[in-house]
Amino acid sequence: MRHTDPTTPASAGDPEPRPALAPARGRFITFEGIDGAGKSSQIAATVALLQAAGIDVDQTREPGGTALGERLRELLLHEPMHLETEAMLMFAARREHLAARIEPALEAGRWVVCDRFSDATFAYQVGGRGLDRDKFDALEAWVHPGLQPDLTLVFDLDPAVAAARVASTGVDPDRFEREQRDFFVRVRTAYLERATRAPERMRVIDADRPPEVIRAEIERIVRERFFS
Ligand code: TYD
């Protein structure tokens, strides 16, 4: 019988050569939250933490992460479009990202840390803009059946506080950042609702605390989830 499980040693006298050990699949970690919730610096800290543990990490973002995805990002962030066009372009960029970067990295044993993934489409397009839930489910089932992040950290913050943070950067706001407060209230609610339905995968982080406190909490979650 052929040995298909690389962890099972071939028995003595087995005529079939033993397949080379495949690397353990990498882990997929995503960061989510409304604009201004402060994910960026925590993503960098998490990548540094994993690297210090000797893990090979690929840091990326959505929409984006590939040459085509970054071109789609430009359109998505700046070009007015129909809500369903927006949702489909988010998933088109994601399809490319998965095929060209995320899946190959995970298969090679590298870990992927991604700024946003499909939970953002649920929160922004379904929650924020009112995209039909069935259409979201269909796109998600088409683009990544059977794949979800191993861990998703949802940065939760009062939209008023987040808006003040975005304004204080002085950077020209994009199409999403220009949305009104009630839009971000709906996005936040959608994130929290989704987190309630996937409590194992999604952890809600109170983002209204000093960065070092948040960093320590993330470190604890990551250690607990992957290293204990
Ligand atoms: P992000 O990279 O977090 O913005 P920034 O670089 O300005 O901090 O995300 C870009 C925007 O895209 C953000 O406002 C959320 C939005 N977005 C969606 O609406 N749906 C999605 O599926 C994704 C991935 C992002």
Side-chain angles (χ1 to χ4, degrees):
M1 197 183 89
R2 190 173 190 92
H3 286 268
T4 49
D5 176 359
T7 61
T8 307
S11 59
D14 190 327
E16 301 269 1
R18 197 166 87 179
L21 281 177
R25 190 175 161 87
R27 303 302 189 121
F28 183 25
I29 303 175
T30 58
F31 284 71
E32 299 282 357
I34 61 172
D35 294 81
K39 320 175 251 104
S40 304
S41 59
Q42 298 296 342
I43 290 174
T46 305
V47 167
L49 170 73
L50 295 173
Q51 286 171 336
I55 292 166
D56 196 357
V57 187
D58 188 359
Q59 183 185 338
T60 183
R61 69 173 179 181
E62 290 208 349
T66 64
L68 175 61
E70 291 295 328
R71 290 174 71 180
L72 293 172
R73 180 187 175 92
E74 273 309 299
L75 293 171
L76 281 160
L77 265 48
H78 302 293
E79 192 76 23
M81 63 184 74
H82 187 279
L83 154 65
E84 293 183 356
T85 310
E86 184 177 285
M88 287 191 281
L89 284 183
M90 289 292 179
F91 271 106
R94 185 161 301 134
R95 186 71 197 85
E96 190 65 21
H97 197 197
L98 280 160
R101 190 161 170 186
I102 298 175
E103 279 292 354
L106 295 175
E107 272 160 33
R110 291 198 302 281
W111 290 34
V112 175
V113 172
C114 191
D115 187 347
R116 302 191 185 281
F117 193 62
S118 293
D119 298 312
T121 317
F122 181 85
Y124 280 76
Q125 278 66 52
V126 177
R129 299 231 199 274
L131 174 75
D132 191 279
R133 172 70 199 270
D134 291 343
K135 289 178 176 159
F136 168 84
D137 288 344
L139 287 169
E140 188 184 39
W142 180 12
V143 169
H144 54 94
L147 178 112
Q148 286 294 342
D150 294 292
L151 174 66
T152 298
L153 300 166
V154 180
F155 283 56
D156 184 52
L157 189 61
D158 181 336
V161 178
R165 286 189 188 171
V166 170
S168 74
T169 63
V171 178
D172 249 7
D174 62 40
R175 227 160 51 77
F176 294 97
E177 290 163 341
R178 278 198 298 273
E179 287 290 344
Q180 300 301 309
R181 191 70 42 82
D182 58 338
F183 174 83
F184 289 106
V185 170
R186 292 194 299 277
V187 172
R188 180 192 198 188
T189 304
Y191 269 131
L192 294 178
E193 181 204 323
R194 197 157 159 90
T196 306
R197 278 189 273 118
E200 276 304 299
R201 172 174 73 85
M202 298 177 77
R203 300 290 296 264
V204 178
I205 305 284
D206 173 3
D208 199 6
R209 294 175 300 168
E212 61 278 11
V213 175
I214 296 174
R215 193 162 86 179
E217 183 179 2
I218 292 174
E219 180 166 345
R220 187 176 52 72
I221 292 171
V222 167
R223 285 190 190 286
E224 226 175 70
R225 180 63 58 93
F226 302 116
F227 302 109
S228 63

